[in-house]
Amino acid sequence: MRARTLMIQGTGSHVGKSVLTAALCRLFLRRGLRVAPFKAQNMSNNSFVTPDGKEIGRAQAVQAAACRLAPRADFNPILIKPESDTTAQIVVGGEVGGSLSAKDFGRVRREYWCTVQEAFQRLSEAFDVVVLEGAGSPAEVNLRGCDVVNMQMAQYAAAPVLLVGDIERGGVFASLVGTWALLDANDRRHLRAFAINKFRGDADLLTDGITRVTRETGLPCAGVLPHWGDLAVPEEDTLGWDGWQRRTSHRAM
């Protein structure tokens, strides 16, 4: 029987998708379900070597631990490791697959979409629940044609999507409504609810904003999640190419 699915997407990078995915994995595990994480494509130099010598994003290794599973390549079939502002190494199925140019980012979908599908299918056949994580924002309309990790994956997995916004960065209501507005009707049908992450203070102050978002989008609020400080869960980088050099230079300091 095919696994049930749930997908966490965000209004942008670093809104808490990885942490929330890990938390939901552990929650489902505690309910007696066989659960696995899945992120079709990562863009990060923050990688982890699996017991069989494959390479995946470190956040998926943390999520595997939340599921009490050994990390495996199927949890993150495509890993893009930035090398410069315009080039990257691509890891496919846990093994180095060559170089990738920013000018030909669409190659990932053309050449490796089948790899993503096959990895997901193996997990779907082996587990009760697969919790999927998106990357960056699904509203990056310039990348929709080469997407494998957000709405393309939601459609393939028939996954309901929880859209997460980060209030700590400000503008969370505009981010939620803006994300919804930029999606086409076929993509919007996967959105089932939204959540506000990293909140500090009195949640009653959010009532008017939540009401407005629901009125604009038709989506209910699934919850307001508190800010928990530094949980030491590795972050993944944005789907875009900007900032690679800045991030890698900071890591070297």
Side-chain angles (χ1 to χ4, degrees), residues 53-137:
K54 303 297 180 64
E55 193 172 6
I56 64 172
R58 187 164 289 272
Q60 277 61 65
V62 172
Q63 291 160 2
C67 298
R68 295 196 172 98
L69 296 171
R72 63 182 78 172
D74 281 349
F75 295 159
N76 174 211
I78 305 294
L79 175 62
I80 298 172
K81 302 179 69 176
E83 295 177 327
S84 73
D85 285 345
T86 58
T87 61
Q89 181 187 81
I90 184 167
V91 179
V92 181
E95 299 180 349
V96 175
S99 297
L100 182 67
S101 166
K103 290 183 178 180
D104 194 21
F105 194 77
R107 177 178 153 222
V108 176
R109 181 155 159 178
R110 290 196 311 271
E111 297 185 12
Y112 302 121
W113 174 234
C114 286
T115 300
V116 170
Q117 292 174 300
E118 289 165 2
F120 174 78
Q121 282 302 126
R122 285 190 289 268
L123 297 180
S124 182
E125 292 167 5
F127 293 91
D128 300 317
V129 178
V130 179
V131 184
L132 299 89
E133 180 185 346
S137 165

Side-chain angles (χ1 to χ4, degrees), residues 5 7 17 25 28 32 45-46 50 61 112 122 142 219-220 222 228:
T5 56
M7 189 169 198
K17 296 186 294 292
C25 283
F28 292 138
N45 280 319
N46 197 13
T50 66
Y112 302 121
R122 285 190 289 268
N142 56 312
L219 301 174
W228 288 100

